[in-house]
Amino acid sequence: MKRLTLIALLLISTLVSVSFPAAASSKHDEGTDGESKIDPKEIIFEHLGDRYGWEVPFCHHKSIPLPIIVFGSDGLHIFSSERISHGQDYVDGDKMFRLADKGDFKGKVVEIVDGKEVRPFDISITKNVAALILTVIVVCLLLLPLKRYYKRKGYKAPRGWLGAIEALTAFIYDGVIKSTLKDKAAKFAPYLLTAFYFIFVMNLMGLMVVFPGGANLTGNIAVTLVLAILTFLVTNIFGTKHYWKEIFWPDVPLWLKFPLPIMPIIEIFGMFTKPAALTVRLFANMMGGHMIVLVLTLLIFIFAEMGMAVAGGTAVVSTLFSIFMLLIDVLVSFIQAYVFTMLSTIFISLAQENPHKEHAGAEAAH
């Protein structure tokens, strides 16, 4: 019982320490009595967005600096994000850079040219970029030891965490990839398994509230879009002749193809709706989970203005629901990685159909 109480207190303190400094450091709206009020919208989008530094655990007014790399009006400039993290200007030669605090470039690095803020070409290592690099490292650390194990000991079943990785890999390969792609499974398994582990690790790291977690990668539509584009490229680059024939000249009545290409237009449109569905499905589910936890946590500080009794009751309820949602999000992290891999496998399998081979195989069986 004491151990469970300690765990609960640690979880509560973690949630509070994450939300309170963020609330304190974000912009506030002025109330009618002149007192500052929490702006939930500002806090939520600030937490979910990207930035040029990585917050120090339990100390959000400080951050781990990341390299800023921009091409200004006179060429390349590289400097630490710490030089502009507190609103100060950074002067490099005769050029000046700062973080914009308002306007269209709010939160982005801008160059001051003739007194105006101009957005340079920015390839900085932001929090999301650093998190992507860390995710790649984690995935390699999970899977490469399994490869080395099989190289040393053949097909002897591993134990411990390697056994868990093997079981998860076999579950995805046998239950999704091989059962759908059949003899083509080995060809596409490297991409599909990589996509599954990459998304799964990104999802889990996004649920962590301290470094090296906390980056909302799959809640960033740019990340999910790139993953969907990769599935789109694999599907269409390796598509069979029959797949392309069914797109441009499908097996339907002639009046649906000529003189108005109704069905080809629908088929071509369908090529692009599939990656769009992959993008939005993963993005919306993961973004929604993060946002619910943030909203529940912010309720503590919103109701704090109504007195200690109301604040205390709200803190208990919000914290319990936040912990419950975080546990649900762990399951959702696996489900979303599984669904993305399953849908990618189905899309690829549809592009691998070859009716002539299937017909020949059926005749040989008879």
Side-chain angles (χ1 to χ4, degrees):
M1 189 65 183
K2 290 182 178 179
R3 185 175 298 177
L4 290 176
T5 304
L6 179 60
I7 293 173
L9 289 173
L10 287 174
L11 287 171
I12 292 171
S13 63
T14 299
L15 287 171
V16 173
S17 65
V18 169
S19 57
F20 182 74
S25 61
S26 300
K27 288 189 175 181
H28 295 68
D29 292 331
E30 292 294 329
T32 56
D33 55 356
E35 295 180 357
S36 61
K37 294 184 178 180
I38 291 175
D39 184 358
K41 179 181 175 182
E42 184 78 15
I43 294 171
I44 290 172
F45 284 99
E46 181 182 349
H47 181 83
L48 295 177
D50 199 5
R51 60 186 65 189
Y52 292 97
W54 208 317
E55 301 92 342
V56 175
F58 309 109
C59 189
H60 282 244
H61 64 280
K62 295 182 180 179
S63 62
I64 301 171
L66 296 171
I68 291 180
I69 308 170
V70 294
F71 286 90
S73 56
D74 63 340
L76 178 66
H77 295 266
I78 303 175
F79 53 94
S80 171
S81 62
E82 190 176 12
R83 295 180 179 273
I84 58 174
S85 60
H86 299 292
Q88 69 270 32
D89 295 335
Y90 170 68
V91 179
D92 188 3
D94 59 346
K95 300 299 176 184
M96 181 183 294
F97 299 91
R98 70 165 67 126
L99 275 181
D101 58 355
K102 59 183 178 179
D104 296 336
F105 304 140
K106 182 179 179 180
K108 303 295 183 181
V109 175
V110 293
E111 180 183 357
I112 309 303
V113 179
D114 297 330
K116 297 181 179 180
E117 295 182 346
V118 178
R119 185 85 167 98
F121 183 68
D122 191 351
I123 55 171
S124 302
I125 307 297
T126 62
K127 179 180 177 180
N128 282 352
V129 175
L132 283 171
I133 296 171
L134 284 174
T135 302
V136 172
I137 294 172
V138 171
V139 171
C140 290
L141 291 176
L142 286 175
L143 299 181
L144 291 182
L146 187 62
K147 175 190 173 184
R148 290 195 296 268
Y149 177 89
Y150 282 129
K151 193 173 182 180
R152 293 195 315 267
K153 300 188 178 182
Y155 290 99
K156 182 180 178 182
R159 296 182 179 181
W161 68 273
L162 283 179
I165 297 296
E166 182 202 37
L168 182 57
T169 303
F171 173 75
I172 299 298
Y173 180 76
D174 295 333
V176 177
I177 301 173
K178 191 173 182 180
S179 62
T180 305
L181 290 170
K182 303 294 191 289
D183 58 329
K184 300 287 185 69
K187 180 178 181 180
F188 297 100
Y191 164 70
L192 293 169
L193 286 171
T194 301
F196 169 79
Y197 277 106
F198 190 64
I199 295 171
F200 188 34
V201 172
M202 278 196 298
N203 290 345
L204 291 180
M205 290 185 68
L207 297 179
M208 297 169 59
V209 296
V210 295
F211 180 85
N216 185 34
L217 291 177
T218 44
N220 186 324
I221 198 167
V223 175
T224 59
L225 176 62
V226 170
L227 291 170
I229 289 174
L230 290 176
T231 295
F232 173 79
L233 292 175
V234 171
T235 300
N236 292 283
I237 290 174
F238 295 98
T240 62
K241 292 181 180 179
H242 175 73
Y243 167 75
W244 289 108
K245 182 257 180 189
E246 286 298 313
I247 289 177
F248 293 106
W249 197 256
D251 189 15
V252 294
L254 184 62
W255 63 273
L256 289 174
K257 299 180 286 187
F258 183 84
L260 293 176
I262 298 174
M263 285 305 297
I265 290 175
I266 292 175
E267 292 291 340
I268 292 172
F269 182 73
M271 289 172 55
F272 295 97
T273 56
K274 292 172 184 176
L278 286 176
T279 301
V280 175
R281 180 187 297 272
L282 180 58
F283 162 73
N285 280 281
M286 298 312 300
M287 170 69 82
H290 285 277
M291 193 167 290
I292 289 172
V293 173
L294 285 171
V295 169
L296 288 171
T297 307
L298 282 172
L299 288 177
I300 301 172
F301 304 99
I302 294 173
F303 283 98
E305 300 176 359
M306 299 184 180
M308 290 300 296
V310 176
T314 305
V316 173
V317 175
S318 295
T319 301
L320 290 176
F321 272 104
S322 297
I323 295 171
F324 174 74
M325 285 304 305
L326 284 172
L327 294 176
I328 293 295
D329 278 343
V330 174
L331 179 61
V332 171
S333 297
F334 171 78
I335 291 174
Q336 291 305 315
Y338 178 85
V339 169
F340 187 96
T341 307
M342 180 182 66
L343 291 177
S344 296
T345 305
I346 292 172
F347 295 157
I348 292 171
S349 69
L350 293 175
Q352 297 300 308
E353 289 183 355
N354 194 333
H356 301 294
K357 238 183 222 187
E358 293 174 2
H359 181 68
E363 288 184 349
H366 287 299

